[in-house]
């Protein structure tokens, strides 16, 4: 329900940005929600840039936690096409890492999968990444990793050449403490590959940016259990479970499993060295 606005007034106000300031925060939030979801007229003919402009103003009026709740409301939209369009518009305007990562994770988790087992939304994300139209590409990469199974990990590996060093650093920081087995191995694989090119200063810069993803804070849920996930073909019904656990390790068992790789990275890391700090976070001597 649109607060303080009837449909006739919405028709006028959506095309009058100068009038938005007079709306209450609640009314403007509802106006933005309707525009993003392309629900009633005139929103079904609203240009994408107008919906993006509305969300840009919303960013100034809601804090990041309120915007995550706003995104959760979009997720309830039963029509996947509308839901995807709204979330992609948000990803083009959202610069705050927690919000962009949350929007991406919800988008990828709820998307149908293509014949290769990759969420169909990933292809839209990859196109936006290539075009440079994502507000925070590093956070979007991290959000995709948070719901990744093997097929999605492979797809993310395919877009690594598109990522700048600062994008990798942001993705790593967002992933810090999020230790699914596949995500840890994604970062380990990439860091080892980069360190193999130890005479390439750019590769070393990427490796240094990526290493922070391996840090495990003392309060991280992964300290209890580390899992590997796979995606369930769930089509568009978010009432179904989108991902399921296929393998579990205790924290101690998993850290013993990756210890040789962690020590090898530490031995080859260039200055400034942070792997010793990361290894202590895992409990290695």
């Amino acid at each position: 329900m649109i607060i303080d606005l009837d449909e006739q007034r919405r028709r006028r106000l959506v095309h009058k940005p100068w009038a938005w300031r007079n709306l209450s925060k609640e009314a403007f939030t509802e106006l933005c929600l309707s525009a993003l979801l392309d629900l009633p007229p005139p929103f079904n003919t609203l240009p994408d840039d107008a919906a993006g402009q509305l969300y840009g103003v919303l960013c100034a009026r809601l804090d990041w936690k309120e915007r995550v709740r706003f995104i959760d409301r979009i997720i309830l939209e039963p029509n996947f096409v509308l839901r995807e369009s709204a979330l992609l518009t948000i990803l083009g305007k959202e610069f705050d890492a927690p919000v962009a990562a949350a929007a991406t994770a919800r988008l990828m988790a709820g998307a149908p999968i293509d014949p290769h087992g990759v969420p169909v939304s990933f292809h839209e994300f990859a196109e936006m990444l290539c075009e440079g139209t994502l507000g925070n590409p590093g956070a979007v990469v991290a959000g995709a990793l948070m719901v990744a199974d093997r097929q999605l990990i492979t797809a993310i590996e395919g877009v690594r050449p598109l990522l700048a060093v600062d994008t990798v650093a942001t993705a790593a920081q967002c992933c810090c403490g999020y230790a699914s087995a596949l995500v840890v191995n994604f970062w380990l694989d990439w860091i080892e590959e980069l360190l193999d090119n130890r005479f390439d200063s750019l590769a070393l810069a990427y490796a240094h940016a990526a290493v922070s993803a391996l840090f495990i804070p003392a309060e991280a849920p992964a300290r209890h259990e580390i899992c590997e996930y796979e995606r369930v073909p769930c089509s568009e019904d978010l009432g179904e479970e989108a991902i399921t656990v296929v393998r579990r390790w205790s924290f101690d068992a998993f850290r013993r499993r990756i210890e040789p790789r962690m020590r090898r990275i530490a031995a080859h890391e260039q200055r400034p060295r942070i792997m010793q700090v990361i290894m202590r976070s895992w409990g290695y001597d």
Side-chain angles (χ1 to χ4, degrees):
M1 177 180 178
I2 303 295
I3 301 174
D4 296 337
L5 294 175
D6 57 29
E7 185 164 329
Q8 184 178 10
R9 193 174 175 209
R10 273 181 285 154
R11 287 174 179 270
R12 296 194 304 268
L13 287 176
V14 73
H15 298 291
K16 297 179 179 180
W18 60 89
W20 296 345
R21 73 185 70 176
N22 298 323
L23 297 177
S24 68
K25 183 168 74 171
E26 293 78 8
F28 183 78
T29 299
E30 299 300 328
L31 181 67
C32 186
L33 182 68
S34 293
L36 284 168
L37 288 176
D38 198 25
L39 292 177
F43 304 115
N44 56 4
T45 58
L46 192 65
D48 289 343
D49 57 349
Q53 185 180 7
L54 276 160
Y55 186 77
V57 174
L58 191 74
C59 288
R61 302 194 68 174
L62 303 185
D63 64 31
W64 73 268
K65 292 182 180 179
E66 290 173 319
R67 298 203 303 280
V68 170
R69 290 195 291 271
F70 178 83
I71 288 167
D72 285 336
R73 293 180 62 190
I74 290 174
I75 292 299
L76 297 176
E77 165 58 49
N79 185 317
F80 170 72
V81 173
L82 298 184
R83 192 167 71 232
E84 181 188 48
S85 176
L87 291 173
L88 289 171
T89 299
I90 287 172
L91 291 179
K93 295 293 182 179
E94 184 57 69
F95 293 94
D96 280 1
V99 188
T104 305
R106 288 156 172 75
L107 177 59
M108 298 294 172
I113 59 176
D114 69 13
H116 302 289
V118 176
V120 295
S121 300
F122 180 82
H123 305 296
E124 296 284 351
F125 147 66
E127 185 175 339
M128 292 176 72
L129 181 64
C130 187
E131 294 172 349
T133 56
L134 290 169
N136 190 325
V140 172
V141 171
L145 285 168
M146 289 174 185
V147 293
D149 60 3
R150 290 184 181 276
Q151 290 75 22
L152 183 50
I153 286 285
T154 299
I156 295 169
E157 288 173 343
V159 301
R160 290 187 324 191
L162 300 174
L163 307 181
V165 173
D166 60 344
T167 298
V168 175
T170 299
Q173 290 162 11
C174 290
C175 286
C176 176
Y178 184 80
S180 80
L182 290 174
V183 171
V184 172
N185 284 311
F186 167 86
W187 290 108
L188 286 172
D189 290 345
W190 194 7
I191 293 165
E192 287 174 332
E193 179 184 322
L194 291 164
L195 291 179
D196 283 343
N197 300 307
R198 66 186 67 180
F199 299 110
D200 184 333
S201 60
L202 183 59
L204 295 178
Y206 273 97
H208 182 70
V211 160
S212 61
L214 300 174
F215 184 81
I216 299 294
E219 69 278 7
R223 288 187 170 277
H224 303 289
E225 184 177 69
I226 293 179
C227 301
E228 178 180 335
Y229 303 94
E230 73 176 10
R231 185 171 303 277
V232 175
C234 65
S235 68
E236 302 172 9
D237 184 1
L238 289 185
E240 300 179 29
E241 192 67 35
I243 56 176
T244 186
V245 176
V246 294
R247 194 169 181 184
R248 304 174 189 270
W249 292 267
S250 69
F251 179 73
D252 285 341
F254 190 80
R255 75 186 189 93
R256 288 195 300 269
R257 180 184 179 89
I258 65 171
E259 182 175 0
R261 303 182 71 186
M262 298 282 274
R263 294 195 181 280
R264 188 160 56 248
I265 290 171
H268 292 91
E269 185 186 23
Q270 304 294 307
R271 297 188 182 194
R273 301 177 188 273
I274 62 174
M275 273 303 292
Q276 291 302 321
V277 174
I278 288 170
M279 291 182 71
R280 283 197 295 272
S281 78
W282 284 83
Y284 300 124
D285 295 330

